[in-house]
Amino acid sequence: AQSVTQLGSHVSVSEGALVLLRCNYSSSVPPYLFWYVQYPNQGLQLLLKYTSAATLVKGINGFEAEFKKSETSFHLTKPSAHMSDAAEYFCAVSEAGAGSYQLTFGKGTKLSVIP
Amino acid sequence: KAGVTQTPRYLIKTRGQQVTLSCSPISGHRSVSWYQQTPGQGLQFLFEYFSETQRNKGNFPGRFSGRQFSNSRSEMNVSTLELGDSALYLCASSVDGSTSYNEQFFGPGTRLTVL
């Protein structure tokens, strides 16, 4: 089974500072990776996805992630944090089940943005 | 296009009772997946339905069941509720769930509290 590890359950950054959320995966086959964001009392919203087309993936709200096979990593970054970025972020890998694909999630990283 | 809708948004039940949650996918989406989200275990895959058939199932006891109707709407049922079943239950829909990069769209979730 594939697994996803997110380093740091809580990350705090100042408004305007770089955001870096870490994600490492384990997979024996080429992975398909996703970053989702969850705001309080809401469901998950897709930020971006890696599907092997390009190693640097750009998503919504100024976020991007770089796939590094040698490091088995898919870290999420944003050059300048905004107050509205405060939320919980989940990294996920698509895993084959019996006839379909399911998402395996990391434990999540809660991002706080300090004004 | 309307997003994934889940009803009810909040539920309070007592131990031993049973509960049914409902999910309406995005129009045209035929695959519906269910996930349980708890602070301790994070996001865990419950099961996935396509064309009224369960194709994939996570590692949950038989008290958790589901079904899908011909219009792709899905319900999940939890019988003999336990305190540990308190969680946010998320429904996600995708076009057909058969490709590894198939994007899943999440609903806002149903918050179940078991007393």
Side-chain angles (χ1 to χ4, degrees):
Chain A
Q2 299 177 28
S3 65
V4 175
T5 303
Q6 291 185 239
L7 192 61
S9 57
H10 287 88
V11 170
S12 291
V13 300
S14 298
E15 191 174 16
L18 171 72
V19 175
L20 171 60
L21 304 181
R22 300 177 188 274
C23 172
N24 289 88
Y25 67 91
S26 69
S27 173
S28 58
V29 297
Y32 292 95
L33 298 157
F34 306 80
W35 275 101
Y36 283 86
V37 61
Q38 185 177 35
Y39 298 99
N41 299 315
Q42 293 188 27
L44 302 176
Q45 181 184 10
L46 181 68
L47 279 176
L48 50 82
K49 62 184 178 184
Y50 168 73
T51 59
S52 76
T55 56
L56 184 61
V57 182
K58 294 187 184 300
I60 62 172
N61 302 337
F63 284 94
E64 62 181 37
E66 186 172 9
F67 173 72
K68 292 187 177 180
K69 185 178 178 180
S70 60
E71 299 177 7
T72 60
S73 69
F74 190 56
H75 301 332
L76 182 71
T77 60
K78 182 174 180 179
S80 176
H82 192 272
M83 295 299 294
S84 61
D85 295 327
E88 192 157 17
Y89 293 79
F90 293 91
C91 183
V93 63
S94 182
E95 183 168 14
S100 67
Y101 288 84
Q102 69 200 49
L103 293 174
T104 298
F105 289 89
K107 294 290 189 184
T109 297
K110 191 164 287 187
L111 175 67
S112 298
V113 181
I114 304 164
Chain B
K1 208 181 243 190
V4 178
T5 58
Q6 292 186 245
T7 56
R9 290 293 310 276
Y10 301 91
L11 264 178
I12 300 176
K13 294 286 187 179
T14 57
R15 278 180 299 173
Q17 287 186 310
Q18 74 165 18
V19 67
T20 299
L21 313 181
S22 181
C23 171
S24 292
I26 292 172
S27 178
H29 285 193
R30 297 170 63 194
S31 169
V32 174
S33 298
W34 289 89
Y35 294 83
Q36 181 195 64
Q37 184 178 23
T38 59
Q41 298 299 317
L43 282 151
Q44 294 184 286
F45 172 75
L46 280 157
F47 30 63
E48 186 255 357
Y49 285 87
F50 178 80
S51 290
E52 303 177 65
T53 301
Q54 186 184 89
R55 287 195 300 194
N56 207 355
K57 189 179 190 305
N59 189 25
F60 277 83
R63 300 186 297 108
F64 292 82
S65 63
R67 60 177 176 168
Q68 187 181 35
F69 302 94
S70 58
N71 62 358
S72 295
R73 190 178 69 85
S74 177
E75 289 180 347
M76 69 162 282
N77 184 77
V78 188
S79 61
T80 319
L81 283 166
E82 300 177 359
L83 294 178
D85 297 333
S86 294
L88 181 67
Y89 289 88
L90 292 165
C91 167
S93 77
S94 62
V95 173
D96 62 16
S98 63
T99 55
S100 56
Y101 53 85
N102 202 28
E103 179 179 344
Q104 294 189 25
F105 295 83
F106 284 80
T110 294
R111 173 77 62 186
L112 172 64
T113 301
V114 181
L115 302 176

